[in-house]
Amino acid sequence: MSLHAPVILDIAGTELNADDRRRVAHPLTGGLIFFTRNWVGRSQITDIVAELKSIRPDLLITIDHEGGRVQRFRTDGFTHLPAMRRLGELWMDDGRKGVPGTGAMRAVDAATSAGYVLGAELRACGIELSYTPVLDLDHGRSEVVGNRAFHRDPRVVTVLGQSLMLGLRQAGMANCAKHFPAHGYAVADSHVARAVDERSLTQILAEDAQPYDWLASGISCVMPAHVTFPKVDEWPAGFSARWLKDILRTRMGYAGAIVCDDLSMEGARIAGSALDGGLKALNAGCDLLLLCNQSKVDGGRPVDELLDGLQAALERGQWQADPMSEQRRLDLLPQSAPLTWDELMRDARYQRALERLP
């Protein structure tokens, strides 16, 4: 096993093939991300997780499962969770029956409940980390963020994000705050275009980045945005030592994991190939690298190119295997056993959380 296993990869289908097993066993593979295409049902996904863990017991099993339009599993009993904007709307529905604070406090409870339902249902199927919450501010400019954001006000985003994180913790799941420092102001979707935010560092720190500063001690993992902030750095945040080392780690005191967003996204191509981007991200301060949807391309050739290229680059001294980064990865693994699905259905906390969802 490597001193540092930074790559989080995916699989093409609904079961593992020989190439999947070989890649999961690679010493630089530290995690796997599931998508809707991998889903048939709870039993099937649980069997895949068991097989993955038989190959790599410390493999981190992840998913991008937020609620609203970004929810990968929607059938076979999974609760349809609201978009996070709904919680922000609930916060603003204040003073009902003449009692100030009722909307805000109901929103806090609903956010904690959403976190618990989300985390507990995923953990019952073997999923260990979801890339949530979204801490972007809703500036009304970004379609890719849109109703995934809680609110425009960083204070509301912070309180509701913290509440969702508490619910995840109650389910035994870590959290991943995204997209640092901001994706809500850039108009372009970094999945398909280069996203740029022309604001100054002072403006960004005074608004969009505040939730990360206020929540630095409670965030388990941060995902930087593939957004370029030219008044701060020529590189997108995930490739920027200024954003990750100087601002996030040093100025804000953040000590958890940093996972680079998907290296195949258009916003990451400024760095070159996935391998070029991966090296840039690791040297900028990322601990983990996501490469998504490339197992479907040419038999997964891009995944092999990243794994083998990183191995060769490590041997050439182009990046350093960091034991602290590896420990931060391991810290994302659950520390408690999950409830089975049947146990969860009888769990009083779960039933109460369902009742508190908006």
Side-chain angles (χ1 to χ4, degrees):
M1 187 180 297
S2 170
L3 291 175
H4 180 191
V7 177
I8 301 174
L9 46 77
D10 65 3
I11 60 174
T14 58
E15 58 185 22
L16 300 183
N17 60 34
D19 287 330
D20 295 327
R21 297 183 187 96
R22 172 178 55 79
R23 291 174 188 133
V24 167
H26 193 286
L28 296 186
T29 298
L32 183 132
I33 179 170
F34 280 123
F35 289 93
T36 302
R37 67 170 184 274
N38 305 125
W39 170 261
V40 174
R42 290 185 284 107
S43 177
Q44 165 262 348
I45 213 75
T46 304
D47 288 345
I48 292 183
V49 170
E51 185 173 1
L52 289 166
K53 289 290 191 175
S54 73
I55 300 169
R56 281 289 293 276
D58 71 336
L59 191 73
L60 180 66
I61 310 297
T62 75
I63 194 169
D64 204 6
H65 189 97
E66 304 166 4
R69 57 192 158 97
V70 182
Q71 181 170 335
R72 306 305 182 191
F73 300 165
R74 294 174 175 270
T75 59
D76 203 7
F78 267 81
T79 302
H80 290 202
L81 295 163
M84 295 301 100
R85 177 185 287 168
R86 180 70 191 93
L87 299 172
E89 292 169 346
L90 185 61
W91 177 285
M92 299 305 295
D93 181 21
D94 212 358
R96 181 175 291 183
K97 297 181 180 179
V99 182
T102 53
M105 294 304 97
R106 287 174 59 234
V108 166
D109 192 27
T112 305
S113 297
Y116 183 74
V117 170
L118 188 157
E121 290 183 353
L122 288 174
R123 287 213 62 208
C125 296
I127 315 297
E128 298 169 323
L129 175 71
S130 179
Y131 300 106
T132 189
V134 172
L135 296 185
D136 297 313
L137 304 191
D138 185 5
H139 288 276
R141 295 166 55 93
S142 171
E143 288 188 8
V144 72
V145 173
N147 67 0
R148 297 165 66 195
F150 290 106
H151 204 273
R152 170 65 178 81
D153 188 326
R155 298 167 299 178
V156 178
V157 170
T158 298
V159 173
L160 294 181
Q162 184 180 47
S163 300
L164 188 107
M165 288 158 46
L166 172 60
L168 292 172
R169 283 291 187 194
Q170 290 174 342
M173 181 177 281
N175 58 72
C176 181
K178 61 187 185 185
H179 306 82
F180 176 82
H183 204 321
Y185 195 82
V187 175
D189 178 354
S190 59
H191 291 85
V192 297
R194 186 180 177 196
V196 179
D197 186 334
E198 296 282 357
R199 293 177 299 166
S200 69
L201 176 61
T202 299
Q203 288 176 292
I204 296 164
L205 292 180
E207 284 200 298
D208 298 66
Q210 281 191 319
Y212 297 92
D213 194 5
W214 290 333
L215 295 175
S217 62
I219 295 173
S220 313
C221 183
V222 165
M223 180 181 289
H226 283 324
V227 175
T228 303
F229 305 86
K231 292 183 180 177
V232 183
D233 196 331
E234 63 180 323
W235 291 100
F239 304 137
S240 166
R242 186 173 187 202
W243 277 117
L244 302 184
K245 293 181 179 179
D246 297 347
I247 297 172
L248 182 60
R249 291 246 187 253
T250 302
R251 183 181 297 199
M252 296 182 178
Y254 174 67
I258 302 175
V259 54
C260 182
D261 205 349
D262 179 12
L263 292 168
S264 72
M265 287 166 56
E266 187 61 35
R269 294 189 184 279
I270 185 175
S273 67
L275 175 58
D276 294 332
L279 290 171
K280 182 74 176 172
L282 288 169
N283 287 318
C286 287
D287 304 297
L288 298 165
L289 308 171
L290 270 167
L291 185 63
C292 302
N293 301 315
Q294 300 306 292
S295 60
K296 304 187 299 178
V297 178
D298 194 13
R301 175 183 51 80
V303 184
D304 291 328
E305 288 178 349
L306 177 62
L307 290 170
D308 295 341
L310 283 177
Q311 185 68 55
L314 179 63
E315 294 166 3
R316 291 193 297 267
Q318 292 178 280
W319 68 284
Q320 302 296 315
D322 185 352
M324 290 182 64
S325 286
E326 181 65 2
Q327 186 58 55
R328 286 191 281 264
R329 180 186 76 84
L330 295 173
D331 287 344
L332 296 175
L333 292 165
Q335 303 302 305
S336 61
L339 297 177
T340 67
W341 192 268
D342 288 344
E343 289 171 338
L344 185 63
M345 295 302 104
R346 299 190 298 269
D347 179 58
R349 177 186 285 173
Y350 174 75
Q351 294 299 330
R352 179 187 179 279
L354 289 177
E355 294 171 357
R356 298 302 179 104
L357 293 176

